[in-house]
Amino acid sequence: MNNDRMEGAWKQMRGKMKQAWGKLTDDDLDVAEGKWDEISGKIQSRYGKSKDEAEKEIQRFRDEYDREVAREASR
């Protein structure tokens, strides 16, 4: 994937992440820049979740996002 497509994919994913976790700010996502451990920490902090809970939520989010992207690509 070229840099433009990667940047576009991250921007699209950021929007979906803000829908899923409305308490995450643009600054939170700017700092994380796709580092899932950073995002997990922000979710733990903002929502009072355990590390395990946050990681499970992220995995569910990523799985659903991947399925959505695959559906769009198959059209």
Side-chain angles (χ1 to χ4, degrees):
M1 184 180 290
N2 69 36
N3 285 343
D4 289 340
R5 288 184 61 197
M6 286 176 62
E7 185 176 321
W10 173 243
K11 286 181 181 179
Q12 183 178 6
M13 185 179 281
R14 281 175 59 117
K16 298 283 185 184
M17 291 170 69
K18 287 183 74 175
Q19 289 175 350
W21 298 289
K23 292 182 182 178
L24 293 181
T25 65
D26 286 328
D27 287 343
D28 291 337
L29 297 173
D30 287 344
V31 169
E33 286 189 20
K35 294 177 239 147
W36 294 106
D37 58 331
E38 296 259 347
I39 295 167
S40 176
K42 295 295 183 184
I43 291 170
Q44 290 172 55
S45 172
R46 298 279 190 257
Y47 290 92
K49 296 189 178 281
S50 70
K51 181 178 181 179
D52 188 50
E53 289 173 316
E55 288 175 355
K56 284 179 183 178
E57 282 189 21
I58 288 170
Q59 190 58 54
R60 281 192 298 268
F61 171 84
R62 292 178 69 179
D63 291 345
E64 178 57 33
Y65 184 82
D66 289 345
R67 282 191 295 272
E68 186 177 316
V69 169
R71 281 191 303 265
E72 289 177 12
S74 68
R75 292 182 187 176

